[in-house]
Amino acid sequence: MDQVKKGKLFVISGPSGVGKGTLVNLLRTKYPEIIISTSVTTRNPRPGELSGIHYFFIKKEDFLFRINQGNFLEWTEFAGNYYGTDKNIVELTIEQGHNLLLEIDVKGALQVKKHKSDAILIFIEPPSIEELKSRLFKRETESEQEIYERLSIVKSEIDKKTEFNYCLLNDKLDRAFSDLESIVLKEINATESCK
Ligand code: ADP
Ligand code: 5GP
């Protein structure tokens, strides 16, 4: 019997405010067959965010329990909150042949690479730190203090971009999306080499 061809695992990462969510939403609209992973977090929902859609919002003690149970493929503490990716959901989705995309922070992306060397890591880069700051202030989803906390780690995040398979500059949204689309389609359509 033919085996189901495994799906590809994409990881989109980069500093907070760089446009990951915006790009992923464009991809979701154009390619609804690509599954976008829903992460688990201890952060409070922003207005309009729903549990099970944007994140699974859980209490810190439940998150710590799940770490101990080995539930996460990767997890991180980011700006005072915990975020993680459920291991079983990732395995099942890929085994069933679906392409799956994780939108996670840089530390988490590198953890995924350790466990899943065939994951395709895409780093989204800002045109400048000033522009990043301006996007975060315009988004109005964090306090000034939270924005500076997010900005304080940007340089160290950018330093890690060489560990990614692809780097993509999000200056002009249309061009950045078209670059992302090309990468994703190329990887999905790539034929496996003979082993
Ligand atoms: P992230 O998910 O990486 O934190 P978002 O997707 O929320 O970032 O984008 C942060 C803000 O920047 C949003 O208000 C979004 O509309 C805006 N944005 C995204 N891409 C661009 C771009 N290329 N040019 C200008 N603003 C952008
Ligand atoms: P936000 O609070 O803005 O939704 O997310 C903050 C950061 O956490 C973003 O960089 C986002 O990509 C990242 N993030 C979201 N979910 C996960 C996850 O499951 N794991 C990791 N490592 N980072 C995540």
Side-chain angles (χ1 to χ4, degrees), residues 12-18 20-21 37-41 43-44 46 49 54-55 57 63 72 74-79 81-86 102-112 136 139 141-142 150 153 157:
I12 298 220
S13 193
S16 180
V18 75
K20 301 182 294 297
S37 163
T38 304
S39 295
V40 180
T41 185
R43 105 155 146 61
N44 290 324
R46 294 174 184 149
E49 282 186 334
H54 298 92
Y55 280 106
F57 296 99
F63 197 101
F72 294 119
E74 63 74 34
W75 63 271
T76 196
E77 195 177 355
F78 183 92
N81 295 300
Y82 289 90
Y83 299 80
T85 305
D86 186 286
L102 314 180
E103 184 216 312
I104 62 178
D105 83 330
V106 174
K107 280 189 283 177
L110 297 179
Q111 283 182 60
V112 173
L136 282 170
R139 189 171 72 180
T141 48
E142 278 78 28
R150 286 170 183 239
I153 57 165
E157 291 179 312

Side-chain angles (χ1 to χ4, degrees), residues 13-25 46 103 124 127 131-132 134-142 150 169-174 176:
S13 193
S16 180
V18 75
K20 301 182 294 297
T22 307
L23 288 163
V24 168
N25 277 333
R46 294 174 184 149
E103 184 216 312
I124 316 286
E131 169 65 15
L132 197 59
S134 147
R135 287 183 194 174
L136 282 170
F137 273 101
K138 276 196 207 142
R139 189 171 72 180
E140 293 185 325
T141 48
E142 278 78 28
R150 286 170 183 239
L169 177 68
N170 182 18
D171 47 358
K172 299 263 185 296
L173 186 59
D174 286 359

Side-chain angles (χ1 to χ4, degrees), residues 50-132:
L50 300 170
S51 202
I53 306 279
H54 298 92
Y55 280 106
F56 292 104
F57 296 99
I58 68 171
K59 293 200 188 79
K60 185 174 169 184
E61 64 255 35
D62 295 334
F63 197 101
L64 298 177
F65 178 77
R66 291 188 58 173
I67 294 176
N68 279 328
Q69 295 289 306
N71 280 179
F72 294 119
L73 169 63
E74 63 74 34
W75 63 271
T76 196
E77 195 177 355
F78 183 92
N81 295 300
Y82 289 90
Y83 299 80
T85 305
D86 186 286
K87 190 159 63 183
N88 288 339
I89 294 179
V90 171
E91 297 297 351
L92 273 174
T93 308
I94 295 172
E95 290 297 332
Q96 288 172 355
H98 301 292
N99 298 308
L100 177 67
L101 190 151
L102 314 180
E103 184 216 312
I104 62 178
D105 83 330
V106 174
K107 280 189 283 177
L110 297 179
Q111 283 182 60
V112 173
K113 193 179 175 185
K114 252 194 225 159
H115 300 300
K116 299 213 149 284
S117 57
D118 51 357
I120 301 138
L121 267 59
I122 306 169
F123 187 90
I124 316 286
E125 212 175 342
S128 66
I129 302 217
E130 270 315 298
E131 169 65 15
L132 197 59

Side-chain angles (χ1 to χ4, degrees), residues 4 8 23 29 54 81 102 115-116 118-119 139 143 145 170 177 179 181-182 185 190 195:
V4 177
K8 299 270 164 84
L23 288 163
T29 306
H54 298 92
N81 295 300
L102 314 180
H115 300 300
K116 299 213 149 284
D118 51 357
R139 189 171 72 180
S143 66
Q145 191 196 335
N170 182 18
F177 178 64
D179 287 355
E181 198 179 5
S182 306
L185 295 180
K195 296 239 167 73

